[in-house]
Amino acid sequence: MQLNLTVEAVWSDVQKIRSAAPLVHNITNYVVMNNTANALLALGASPVMAHAREEVEDMVAIASALVINIGTLSSAWVETMASAMSKASAKGIPIIFDPVGAGATAYRTRTCHELMNAVAPTVIRGNASEIMALVDAAVATKGVDSSTTEKPVKALRELARQFSCAVVVSGETDLVSDGETWFRIRNGHALMPRVTGLGCTASALVGAFAAVQPEPLSAAAHAMAVMGICGEIAAAQAAGPGSLQMYFLDALYQLNEERIATTLKGC
Amino acid sequence: MQLNLTVEAVWSDVQKIRSAAPLVHNITNYVVMNNTANALLALGASPVMAHAREEVEDMVAIASALVINIGTLSSAWVETMASAMSKASAKGIPIIFDPVGAGATAYRTRTCHELMNAVAPTVIRGNASEIMALVDAAVATKGVDSSTTEKPVKALRELARQFSCAVVVSGETDLVSDGETWFRIRNGHALMPRVTGLGCTASALVGAFAAVQPEPLSAAAHAMAVMGICGEIAAAQAAGPGSLQMYFLDALYQLNEERIATTLKGC
Amino acid sequence: MQLNLTVEAVWSDVQKIRSAAPLVHNITNYVVMNNTANALLALGASPVMAHAREEVEDMVAIASALVINIGTLSSAWVETMASAMSKASAKGIPIIFDPVGAGATAYRTRTCHELMNAVAPTVIRGNASEIMALVDAAVATKGVDSSTTEKPVKALRELARQFSCAVVVSGETDLVSDGETWFRIRNGHALMPRVTGLGCTASALVGAFAAVQPEPLSAAAHAMAVMGICGEIAAAQAAGPGSLQMYFLDALYQLNEERIATTLKGC
């Protein structure tokens, strides 16, 4: 499909989030829980963090999107991630999957495969090395890559096809694909990777967008555009990563059509 | 009893916290641990977070208040919450209970009842829906409510009577009750709910106040007044929820009698 | 050995961290995970937080330093801390140990002894009461101390000798020792203890320095000097602990030779 990355399309989704305040259920890592909850609140969504076996399905039952992030995984949490994903799939709400550190340890890569093979996510978001680690080794390393983006693009499309979902590769330029076509999201700032968990925050925001935008590729693209726009606005005021984090939350809160119009870059 | 919400009474408690630096033991949720620890430190109290079965009673033994917050509960943590509450009750230190998400899942509501039925808290603090969820369904839904505050007020007083404790309903205007009478705390700002965990921070600060103020209703009211005052001071400087959180901590640290005098609103 | 606390020596290590971006594996407490990850990123290192039994050794295998912090310990985490320390020792990467709350409960003191007796750390960093709690009671309480620093200094040197490691006592003035000699690090600011987890952040930064600086005493001293320098720079701009935390991260990011030269105090 074609991606409609226009000011109107992005702003329309932001307005829908603000008026619906969708409940986004996060099972995420300890490092970023506070930041992702704050980013969801600043944007206008309603975050909840819950991981207990006894309640995880009940929480999914009242949520509009589920965000799974394996950043500080352990076996007990992986079990409830699986239950939550299964319930979300049965209920028909979008599932966002963030494979933090896939490829860094065998346990992480294996856990991602187990969770995603049981229930395919709606959107997968990771950095290039994580997304490449999730694709079969044979595919990921086939041929000689002539550019730094060729290999990620191959993995991106392959993963999207494999799980019939949208995939985002975050980086200096973000890449999004639905398996058929792929697009670049060009907003963002070099200081953003110096704040821990802005990738995790991106995944959480994809959850908010997917709660109001039924097309996964558009939800992912609009969320990444908003991340990049707010990151640029924040970086223009920031003296370093400490102030960037603060201005980023303020920018999410203050986001309006005019700011999107003056900052959004085309695909 | 009558509530003494005067500049002198609030300032006196703040001074006592600053000179005694009471150790406030928190068993709280992952999302807000950092913020609540920082708020306690900024105010002048001494926070500790500890949840291990092996030490939870020893930590209560050296603490001046215990704050229980079920925000990201799981069965192992609930067990140590129960042990800590039992020890705190035996030792005679105040117990603050924050029923995060009560009503959202059956597990949360049930866990609150089990914990509070075993050991009655000194102060319960929640938002209107949480407090209403804790009161017997029969009471909470009895009659037709003509105003948005009538139902919370009924639940507030009922819960306070049931557990012979003080109860706070946080909201645009906070409500506090000891079961007999109830009062409004009018300070605060609309931007505060856009920062995650300021309700949890309120509960933690109630812990600090209860450590130096033996009257639970006064401890709760003074803490909520300080929350609201610092929230207003912060909001006057803030461009959004990111900067609000930062200015809020600075305001707690800088709080003095003059700022209370110029900002405190009457009941 | 003699400590080389010069602008050139500190700046050289900072540059090495920035060019190598060493992976620092943290098994740390919930309260500070976000802050310590952000401090490592702001300085130029690469943080990872991982505690699962299934992956902890694999994560150590790709890391350049291991930071163990018992702040919110529980038995399952202590097990994986032991595995990680054993693997780090076998691999020969530095191990930084932060005995948060040692002495506050018997469980904490005992856990520290068990972990350190199994695998001696490269650097131990704590405040005076924690470090004193780790030294045999007989040693720590021997004699009558005529000054507030005499007892910590005794404990500092004793602990360093006992584990053949470097030890840091954080405080208004930091003390570092290799067991033979000891030195003062005089940078820092009184507002720093009002931000939760800056001690934990110090331990994490020692990890980054130890990853590039083979001499433990120098790594510890340079890290503490950078903490103090950035704390002073931040405090000069801060209105309270909220803004201090933000400016501190910005200062780590902006740190350069000139700022070290104008701020570093001699031993």
Side-chain angles (χ1 to χ4, degrees):
Chain A
M1 64 163 285
Q2 201 52 38
L3 178 65
N4 188 22
L5 189 64
T6 62
V7 174
E8 292 68 32
V10 173
W11 176 233
S12 167
D13 278 2
V14 171
Q15 285 179 298
K16 281 178 193 158
I17 291 167
R18 289 191 181 158
S19 72
L23 187 67
V24 180
H25 179 188
N26 301 269
I27 308 183
T28 187
N29 72 72
Y30 301 121
V31 184
V32 306
M33 283 187 184
N34 187 267
N35 306 53
T36 53
N38 270 328
L40 286 166
L41 279 171
L43 180 64
S46 183
V48 69
M49 272 67 183
H51 66 283
R53 181 187 318 246
E54 292 88 347
E55 70 169 354
V56 82
E57 297 185 353
D58 289 351
M59 201 59 94
V60 171
I62 58 171
S64 298
L66 174 68
V67 179
I68 299 293
N69 175 309
I70 66 157
T72 51
L73 81 176
S74 62
S75 56
W77 284 58
V78 171
E79 261 185 60
T80 65
M81 287 174 181
S83 303
M85 289 173 76
S86 173
K87 174 75 179 181
S89 174
K91 191 191 165 193
I93 60 169
I95 300 167
I96 318 307
F97 191 84
D98 189 331
V100 181
T105 68
Y107 178 52
R108 290 185 181 236
T109 315
R110 189 172 70 239
T111 298
C112 290
H113 283 143
E114 285 170 5
L115 289 171
M116 299 195 307
N117 286 337
V119 179
T122 313
V123 182
I124 303 170
R125 194 219 58 84
N127 61 32
S129 71
E130 290 160 353
I131 296 301
M132 288 191 290
L134 294 184
V135 176
D136 290 345
V139 173
T141 62
K142 200 192 298 169
V144 175
D145 295 297
S146 55
S147 81
T148 53
T149 56
E150 193 177 322
K151 202 190 270 181
V153 166
K154 225 180 261 178
L156 174 83
R157 298 179 66 182
E158 173 61 25
L159 198 64
R161 272 189 220 113
Q162 202 177 322
F163 292 98
S164 303
C165 69
V167 178
V168 179
V169 169
S170 293
E172 205 184 315
T173 294
D174 301 324
L175 312 173
V176 298
S177 177
D178 60 357
E180 294 167 42
T181 48
W182 66 276
F183 306 91
R184 290 193 176 89
I185 311 291
R186 298 179 189 274
N187 283 100
H189 192 277
L191 192 55
M192 295 175 73
R194 301 298 281 265
V195 177
T196 195
L198 279 189
C200 306
T201 293
S203 297
L205 294 196
V206 173
F209 278 85
V212 301
Q213 166 57 258
E215 220 301 298
L217 186 70
S218 297
H222 296 172
M224 298 313 295
V226 163
M227 282 295 302
I229 287 168
C230 292
E232 286 179 34
I233 293 171
Q237 304 167 271
S243 42
L244 182 80
Q245 168 81 28
M246 182 186 76
Y247 290 125
F248 177 77
L249 292 172
D250 286 355
L252 276 175
Y253 178 75
Q254 295 172 340
L255 191 65
N256 58 29
E257 191 169 11
E258 195 197 332
R259 290 192 180 208
I260 298 172
T262 53
T263 319
L264 181 67
K265 296 180 179 133
C267 285
Chain B
M1 63 162 286
Q2 203 49 40
L3 179 63
N4 188 22
L5 190 62
T6 61
V7 174
E8 292 68 32
V10 173
W11 177 234
S12 166
D13 278 3
V14 172
Q15 285 178 300
K16 280 178 194 157
I17 291 167
R18 289 191 181 157
S19 72
L23 186 67
V24 180
H25 178 187
N26 302 269
I27 308 183
T28 187
N29 71 72
Y30 301 122
V31 184
V32 306
M33 282 187 184
N34 187 267
N35 306 55
T36 53
N38 271 328
L40 286 165
L41 279 172
L43 179 64
S46 182
V48 70
M49 272 67 184
H51 66 283
R53 182 187 318 247
E54 291 88 347
E55 70 169 354
V56 82
E57 297 185 351
D58 289 351
M59 201 59 94
V60 171
I62 58 171
S64 298
L66 174 67
V67 178
I68 299 292
N69 175 308
I70 66 157
T72 52
L73 82 177
S74 62
S75 56
W77 283 58
V78 171
E79 262 185 58
T80 65
M81 288 175 181
S83 303
M85 288 173 75
S86 172
K87 174 75 179 181
S89 174
K91 191 191 166 192
I93 60 169
I95 300 167
I96 319 306
F97 191 82
D98 190 330
V100 181
T105 67
Y107 178 51
R108 289 183 183 237
T109 314
R110 189 172 71 239
T111 298
C112 290
H113 283 143
E114 285 170 5
L115 289 171
M116 297 194 308
N117 287 335
V119 178
T122 312
V123 182
I124 303 169
R125 193 217 59 84
N127 61 32
S129 71
E130 290 159 354
I131 297 300
M132 289 191 290
L134 293 184
V135 176
D136 290 346
V139 174
T141 63
K142 201 191 300 170
V144 175
D145 294 298
S146 55
S147 82
T148 53
T149 55
E150 196 178 318
K151 201 190 267 180
V153 166
K154 224 181 261 179
L156 174 83
R157 297 179 66 183
E158 173 63 24
L159 199 63
R161 271 190 220 112
Q162 201 177 319
F163 292 99
S164 303
C165 69
V167 178
V168 179
V169 169
S170 293
E172 205 185 316
T173 294
D174 300 324
L175 312 173
V176 298
S177 177
D178 60 357
E180 295 168 40
T181 49
W182 66 277
F183 306 90
R184 289 192 177 91
I185 311 291
R186 297 178 192 275
N187 283 99
H189 192 276
L191 192 55
M192 295 174 76
R194 301 298 282 266
V195 177
T196 194
L198 279 189
C200 306
T201 294
S203 297
L205 294 196
V206 173
F209 279 85
V212 302
Q213 166 56 259
E215 221 301 297
L217 186 71
S218 298
H222 297 172
M224 298 313 295
V226 163
M227 282 295 301
I229 288 168
C230 293
E232 287 179 33
I233 293 171
Q237 304 167 272
S243 42
L244 182 80
Q245 168 80 31
M246 181 186 78
Y247 290 125
F248 176 76
L249 292 172
D250 286 354
L252 276 175
Y253 177 76
Q254 294 172 341
L255 191 65
N256 58 28
E257 191 170 12
E258 196 196 332
R259 289 191 180 210
I260 298 172
T262 53
T263 318
L264 182 65
K265 295 179 180 135
C267 284
Chain C
M1 63 163 287
Q2 202 50 39
L3 179 63
N4 189 23
L5 190 63
T6 61
V7 173
E8 292 68 33
V10 174
W11 177 233
S12 166
D13 278 2
V14 172
Q15 285 179 299
K16 281 178 194 157
I17 291 168
R18 289 190 181 157
S19 72
L23 186 67
V24 179
H25 178 189
N26 301 268
I27 307 183
T28 187
N29 71 73
Y30 302 121
V31 184
V32 306
M33 282 187 186
N34 187 267
N35 307 54
T36 52
N38 270 328
L40 286 166
L41 279 170
L43 179 64
S46 182
V48 69
M49 274 66 184
H51 66 282
R53 182 186 319 245
E54 290 88 347
E55 71 170 352
V56 81
E57 296 184 353
D58 289 351
M59 201 59 94
V60 170
I62 58 170
S64 299
L66 174 67
V67 178
I68 298 292
N69 174 309
I70 66 155
T72 52
L73 82 175
S74 62
S75 56
W77 283 57
V78 171
E79 262 184 60
T80 64
M81 288 174 181
S83 302
M85 288 172 77
S86 171
K87 175 75 179 181
S89 174
K91 192 191 166 193
I93 60 169
I95 301 167
I96 319 306
F97 191 83
D98 189 331
V100 181
T105 68
Y107 178 52
R108 288 183 185 238
T109 315
R110 189 173 69 240
T111 298
C112 289
H113 283 143
E114 285 170 4
L115 289 171
M116 297 194 308
N117 287 336
V119 178
T122 312
V123 182
I124 303 170
R125 193 219 59 85
N127 61 32
S129 70
E130 290 160 353
I131 296 301
M132 288 191 290
L134 293 184
V135 177
D136 290 345
V139 173
T141 63
K142 200 190 300 169
V144 175
D145 294 298
S146 55
S147 81
T148 54
T149 56
E150 193 177 323
K151 202 190 268 181
V153 167
K154 223 181 261 177
L156 174 84
R157 298 179 65 181
E158 173 62 23
L159 198 64
R161 270 190 222 113
Q162 201 177 321
F163 291 99
S164 304
C165 70
V167 177
V168 179
V169 169
S170 293
E172 205 184 316
T173 294
D174 300 324
L175 312 173
V176 298
S177 177
D178 61 356
E180 293 169 42
T181 48
W182 66 277
F183 305 90
R184 290 192 176 90
I185 310 291
R186 297 178 191 274
N187 283 100
H189 193 276
L191 192 55
M192 295 174 75
R194 301 299 280 267
V195 177
T196 195
L198 279 189
C200 306
T201 294
S203 297
L205 295 197
V206 173
F209 279 84
V212 302
Q213 167 55 259
E215 220 302 297
L217 186 71
S218 297
H222 296 172
M224 297 313 294
V226 164
M227 282 296 301
I229 288 168
C230 293
E232 287 179 33
I233 293 170
Q237 304 167 272
S243 43
L244 182 79
Q245 168 81 29
M246 181 186 77
Y247 289 125
F248 176 76
L249 292 172
D250 286 354
L252 276 176
Y253 178 75
Q254 294 172 340
L255 191 65
N256 58 29
E257 189 169 13
E258 196 196 331
R259 289 193 180 208
I260 298 172
T262 53
T263 319
L264 181 66
K265 294 180 180 135
C267 285

